Amino acid sequence: MGNTIKSGSGSISANTLISGDMSRRHFMERMLALGLTIPLASMSWTSQVRASTPKKGGTFRVGLSDSNTADTLDPGTAYSNFSIQSNQVFRSYLTEIKPDGVVGPDSAESWEPSKDAKIWRFRLYKGQQFHNGRPLTADDVVASLNHHRGASSTSGGKALLQDVEDIAADGQDTVVIRLAVGTADFPYILSDYHMAIMPADGKGGVDWASGIGAGPYKLANFQPGVKGEYQRFENYHRQTYFDAIQLFGINDVNARMNSLVAKEIDAVNAVDLKTVDMLSQMAGIKIVEIRSGTLVSMDMRCETAPFNNNDVRLALKYAMDRKEILEKIALGHASIGNDQPIGPTLPYYADLEQRAYDPDRAKFHLKKANMESLAVALSTSEAAYNGATDLAVLYQQSAAKAGIKVDVIREPADGYWSNVWGKKPFFMDHNGQRATPDMMFSTFNRRGGAWNPTGWDNDRFQTLLVQAKGELDQTKRAEMYREMQTMYREEGGQIVVFFTNIVDATQENVMHPDQMSSNWELDGGRAYQRWWFDT
């Protein structure tokens, strides 16, 4: 993806020009070899270098799916795409996931672990400020991370910090974090969208309600689930390009696409897959698509009958025709799922035998559960995934051949994540990719975690979860994660349908690097500081 010079069978990435890896002479030689004349090659050089050089200016207007009027400015309770993206605009984090998938610095300039990875020291960039002019110090980082750790905390990031024993400031610019178990991925954990840095309130807590952050843009107006407006923060310690950002909550996919075509906005996430080909052929529109580990699933509450019987869960898994759904719903813009949440874009992905659609096998497991047939209600909404309702109907049809009656319940989009997700017995789910298997499993499957939507629990799994995160031998660690993925596939409460490609769309003057983060939509939520306008 991105800016590419193409001619015949050859192509040159515009980022090669940005990085200085190709001189003008070398470029001209390549273009002439591809059949261009000298004048055309020279024009191509000029236009590509111009387009590939980041420029400052303009208001970046973005239409977002999955907005919710229940959204707040508390990053601990962020769960909708609108609130996740908003936090990335106006707040900073200790670390970020870079376009190559590796953790890199944000507010932390550097970090180093002890030999056993139990103690981590993070050094902050000096001179950082909050949007009200107050210096950002280690005390603010300590309070911000502790915001997720209290006994009464309902933060979605609480499980990720469960192994933290102590967080302390060492002077103004250094934070020391002590863990109960060695955690090789700890800097990745601190990039999670919940872990935003907020001003300490001086009483052991943080001020999240004011919306004062230390990120690239200053919050000017926030209407939950509707609109967010942000102005460039001139004292931000890193590079940004846009003058201002405007986020619009547009849950209806047709309205979102129409706003893009009408040039009312500059970018959208979650393009309607039925219209990708049409949009890609429209003048002035660009499709931005990358593979990811973001998953679409059907989740079962494992403590609730009949889903507390693993044979019932297996019957429901075998009753899904994933290939048909991949073809008709994802239209090929996804990777097939296999009932465990670690996708092929993540490290330690275990390539297990693919579970195939098998109505007879589903009936076999129903009989083992002493059932001749089964009736279940499946809650769904377009808030979970654009096309979730059609997906549920297809599943209803394939499950019927296995003697399973699926009643599809269409839930309201607004309030879906607070009223349905993790609460109804059987529901559609959509989980964004985390950077590592430990983050995926610790967020959604750790015992006692606030975000365990299926309630599935297993002693061996929990033991491996702790052991794997502290294992520095990569071979042993891979074996542990393979066992966990196998166990989850056979016993877990998720029917993982597929791992979606991220499919965004922009106006043609929106520029971005060739390589982009796949952990969230819109370049991992960092488009606001990594992208720019050509004109």
Side-chain angles (χ1 to χ4, degrees):
M1 300 298 162
N3 306 318
T4 307
I5 304 166
K6 296 184 178 180
S7 178
S9 60
S11 65
I12 296 176
S13 163
N15 273 8
T16 304
L17 306 180
I18 297 173
S19 65
D21 290 340
M22 180 173 290
S23 66
R24 186 179 190 279
R25 178 180 177 181
H26 186 195
F27 175 88
M28 295 290 285
E29 290 173 350
R30 288 282 299 276
M31 290 296 95
L32 292 172
L34 291 171
L36 267 68
T37 64
I38 290 177
L40 285 175
S42 181
M43 288 173 60
S44 196
W45 167 268
T46 301
S47 64
Q48 287 297 319
V49 169
R50 177 179 60 79
S52 303
T53 303
K55 303 173 182 64
K56 287 191 175 183
T59 297
F60 187 43
R61 304 161 302 170
V62 182
L64 296 172
S65 66
D66 187 21
S67 58
N68 199 309
T69 55
D71 291 340
T72 74
L73 294 174
D74 181 357
T77 61
Y79 49 80
S80 76
N81 186 49
F82 185 89
S83 59
I84 291 168
Q85 298 285 332
S86 178
N87 273 287
Q88 301 284 7
V89 174
F90 75 98
R91 285 179 166 139
S92 65
Y93 298 74
L94 282 177
T95 60
E96 72 168 1
I97 302 303
K98 299 189 298 181
D100 60 3
V102 177
V103 68
D106 191 352
S107 277
E109 180 180 33
S110 62
W111 50 88
E112 60 184 37
S114 59
K115 289 184 178 180
D116 59 3
K118 287 186 176 181
I119 299 175
W120 289 83
R121 297 178 66 86
F122 291 85
R123 293 182 178 83
L124 306 179
Y125 280 103
K126 296 183 185 299
Q128 292 181 76
Q129 294 181 358
F130 286 104
H131 298 153
N132 61 357
R134 208 193 88 182
L136 186 157
T137 70
D139 288 334
D140 298 304
V141 176
V142 172
S144 295
L145 295 180
N146 281 334
H147 176 63
H148 309 283
R149 299 180 60 226
S152 60
S153 172
T154 58
S155 168
K158 183 176 182 178
L160 293 174
L161 299 180
Q162 193 164 320
D163 294 321
V164 172
E165 292 186 334
D166 183 65
I167 307 174
D170 183 5
Q172 293 291 298
D173 301 309
T174 302
V175 178
V176 181
I177 302 176
R178 189 176 73 247
L179 307 173
V181 296
T183 306
D185 295 338
F186 195 65
Y188 285 87
I189 289 173
L190 297 179
S191 73
D192 183 80
Y193 63 84
H194 298 98
M195 308 300 172
I197 300 173
M198 297 164 282
D201 63 9
K203 304 175 184 178
V206 292
D207 170 20
W208 60 261
S210 68
I212 294 172
Y217 298 90
K218 184 176 181 177
L219 178 62
N221 175 35
F222 184 76
Q223 301 174 43
V226 178
K227 184 179 183 180
E229 296 178 295
Y230 318 80
Q231 297 293 323
R232 182 210 297 278
F233 181 47
E234 296 297 341
N235 293 332
Y236 181 57
H237 67 290
R238 301 175 68 195
Q239 183 63 269
T240 56
Y241 303 109
F242 300 117
D243 290 333
I245 305 292
Q246 293 181 350
L247 303 183
F248 299 92
I250 311 176
N251 285 333
D252 182 82
V253 65
N254 293 321
R256 204 161 57 248
M257 298 306 112
N258 289 338
S259 295
L260 181 72
V261 172
K263 299 189 182 301
E264 296 170 347
I265 53 179
D266 302 299
V268 298
N269 77 306
V271 171
D272 184 351
L273 299 181
K274 300 183 187 73
T275 67
V276 169
D277 290 341
M278 180 187 70
L279 279 174
S280 67
Q281 296 175 36
M282 295 183 69
I285 302 294
K286 296 192 302 187
I287 300 297
V288 182
E289 180 169 6
I290 56 175
R291 294 182 74 202
S292 82
T294 294
L295 63 91
V296 171
S297 65
M298 297 176 180
D299 294 5
M300 302 168 273
R301 292 296 306 179
C302 294
E303 77 280 16
T304 303
F307 309 109
N308 56 350
N309 186 315
N310 191 45
D311 279 302
V312 169
R313 300 198 294 270
L314 284 170
L316 290 165
K317 291 173 183 178
Y318 280 109
M320 171 171 286
D321 189 340
R322 290 173 176 79
K323 288 185 177 180
E324 180 186 34
I325 290 174
L326 192 66
E327 175 185 345
K328 294 182 178 179
I329 302 298
L331 303 177
H333 298 276
S335 304
I336 195 166
N338 200 20
D339 299 335
Q340 62 86 20
I342 308 305
T345 59
L346 285 179
Y348 306 108
Y349 166 71
D351 189 9
L352 306 176
E353 180 183 355
Q354 178 63 49
R355 175 166 283 133
Y357 176 47
D358 192 337
D360 290 335
R361 188 71 179 268
K363 292 177 182 178
F364 166 79
H365 283 289
L366 284 182
K367 288 183 179 180
K368 285 188 67 177
N370 296 316
M371 297 179 178
E372 290 297 325
S373 61
L374 174 67
V376 295
L378 172 62
S379 293
T380 186
S381 168
E382 297 303 284
Y385 175 71
N386 179 32
T389 303
D390 290 341
L391 191 161
V393 171
L394 273 182
Y395 179 61
Q396 180 186 58
Q397 294 169 3
S398 68
K401 298 177 182 178
I404 299 173
K405 182 180 183 298
V406 178
D407 185 14
V408 177
I409 308 297
R410 293 167 173 82
E411 305 281 2
D414 192 34
Y416 183 82
W417 299 108
S418 55
N419 300 325
V420 178
W421 183 84
K423 295 181 173 63
K424 294 296 180 72
F426 193 26
F427 54 93
M428 291 294 306
D429 197 0
H430 183 190
N431 293 333
Q433 172 183 306
R434 269 55 176 182
T436 66
D438 175 62
M439 290 180 68
M440 288 293 290
F441 283 136
S442 291
T443 299
F444 298 108
N445 303 109
R446 183 152 187 168
R447 182 179 290 157
W451 281 15
N452 186 341
T454 70
W456 180 74
D457 196 6
N458 177 284
D459 289 340
R460 174 62 178 167
F461 183 92
Q462 298 297 330
T463 298
L464 286 170
L465 181 60
V466 175
Q467 291 178 350
K469 70 172 57 191
E471 180 55 66
L472 301 181
D473 184 312
Q474 297 306 305
T475 300
K476 292 181 180 178
R477 199 173 192 212
E479 292 172 354
M480 292 178 182
Y481 283 129
R482 181 179 181 83
E483 182 179 348
M484 292 170 73
Q485 290 171 61
T486 301
M487 188 183 308
Y488 196 91
R489 177 183 179 273
E490 295 304 314
E491 301 177 20
Q494 276 189 312
I495 307 172
V496 179
V497 187
F498 49 66
F499 297 93
T500 66
N501 291 358
I502 292 174
V503 186
D504 304 324
T506 72
Q507 303 293 344
E508 64 180 350
N509 68 327
V510 177
M511 301 290 109
H512 53 74
D514 279 353
Q515 192 172 32
M516 287 171 282
S517 297
S518 63
N519 55 314
W520 286 103
E521 295 159 305
L522 294 162
D523 202 355
R526 296 283 178 157
Y528 315 101
Q529 67 185 84
R530 294 176 184 165
W531 295 12
W532 67 95
F533 287 129
D534 178 28
T535 56

